[in-house]
Amino acid sequence: DTGVSQDPRHKITKRGQNVTFRCDPISEHNRLYWYRQTLGQGPEFLTYFQNEAQLEKSRLLSDRFSAERPKGSFSTLEIQRTEQGDSAMYLCASSLVGVSEQFFGPGTRLTVL
Amino acid sequence: ELKVEQNPLFLSMQEGKNYTIYCNYSTTSDRLYWYRQDPGKSLESLFVLLSNGAVKQEGRLMASLDTKARLSTLHITAAVHDLSATYFCAEGGSNYKLTFGKGTLLTVNP
């Protein structure tokens, strides 16, 4: 399968714990996006990479959130000291520079108890 | 602040009927996207509309874009049960990041 992949697909954690998610974009896609979707809402933009550079972060991304894309390929999103309000589906998408269409991965569903 | 408003948010249709979902957006963007999401699944790209007057069709779905009115429509023709899903429109902003509407939950009844 050459689509966007995300790992894990589901994560249950206790409040205060740290979690890390991984996204592998479509090969050759140099743009990578993270979105968050809560129940009954559309996805909301969190952050964006072009190659290894993080070019934009949403105000939604508090200091507890950090994202990296160290070699311009896969990306990780870490949430420190999780809170119940962090419970959501975290979606990753990728695209090529100059091409509008973004392809989404299956998402990581986070539940914070 | 970018805003994308969809209506209706809930739509219950009978098979065979036609209907239109409306998407209003707040800026002068000329990039508008439609996605489909099945329960518990990720988003599937349906249409990418890149200019005023753009019209795209795939099967029973047709999408159009009017950048002057800041309006996109998704028209459903002769609905079938398999079209039941949540449909999102999204506006393409700077760096191509997407601003999504709240989605339209479509249920097609036999």
Side-chain angles (χ1 to χ4, degrees):
Chain A
D1 188 344
T2 57
V4 178
S5 61
Q6 293 186 246
D7 184 69
R9 297 289 303 277
H10 303 275
K11 179 72 177 178
I12 300 173
T13 191
K14 292 182 179 178
R15 190 174 50 189
Q17 298 294 304
N18 300 342
V19 294
T20 300
F21 310 141
R22 176 178 169 128
C23 170
D24 286 88
I26 292 172
S27 181
E28 309 298 327
H29 278 195
N30 38 23
R31 286 186 168 164
L32 187 148
Y33 302 80
W34 285 98
Y35 294 85
R36 179 172 69 187
Q37 185 178 24
T38 54
L39 199 61
Q41 302 295 318
E44 295 174 296
F45 169 79
L46 292 179
T47 190
Y48 149 67
F49 290 85
Q50 183 162 313
N51 299 313
E52 66 275 10
Q54 187 174 19
L55 298 185
E56 189 169 347
K57 293 195 294 186
S58 163
R59 285 173 292 178
L60 292 175
L61 217 61
S62 76
D63 291 344
R64 298 184 296 105
F65 288 71
S66 62
E68 294 183 340
R69 194 182 183 197
K71 296 184 179 179
S73 56
F74 72 91
S75 175
T76 58
L77 177 68
E78 180 182 15
I79 309 173
Q80 296 183 326
R81 304 181 303 283
T82 52
E83 301 173 356
Q84 286 186 324
D86 297 331
S87 295
M89 175 80 90
Y90 290 83
L91 294 163
C92 175
S94 70
S95 70
L96 280 169
V97 170
V99 176
S100 291
E101 193 170 12
Q102 291 182 25
F103 296 88
F104 281 80
T108 294
R109 183 168 295 283
L110 173 66
T111 302
V112 181
L113 302 176
Chain B
E1 181 183 339
L2 297 178
K3 285 188 179 179
V4 178
E5 293 185 353
Q6 287 182 238
N7 72 84
L9 298 182
F10 300 93
L11 177 56
S12 181
M13 299 175 62
Q14 280 195 315
E15 281 190 329
K17 299 293 187 183
N18 305 334
Y19 209 84
T20 300
I21 299 170
Y22 297 88
C23 175
N24 289 92
Y25 58 96
S26 62
T27 73
T28 56
S29 172
D30 58 0
R31 284 179 277 117
L32 199 290
Y33 305 76
W34 285 95
Y35 285 87
R36 168 181 172 147
Q37 187 175 40
D38 292 295
K41 305 289 186 181
S42 189
L43 287 90
E44 173 191 355
S45 177
L46 295 175
F47 301 107
V48 180
L49 304 169
L50 298 176
S51 61
N52 186 41
V55 177
K56 291 194 174 181
Q57 183 164 5
E58 180 73 33
R60 301 175 187 274
L61 301 178
M62 183 174 70
S64 66
L65 178 62
D66 180 345
T67 58
K68 294 180 181 177
R70 299 180 187 175
L71 171 68
S72 180
T73 61
L74 180 67
H75 186 72
I76 303 156
T77 301
V80 293
H81 180 69
D82 285 351
L83 291 179
S84 297
T86 299
Y87 292 85
F88 291 97
C89 65
E91 178 182 18
S94 63
N95 294 322
Y96 292 87
K97 70 184 181 191
L98 302 179
T99 300
F100 285 84
K102 290 190 173 183
T104 297
L105 176 59
L106 171 66
T107 303
V108 180
N109 302 304

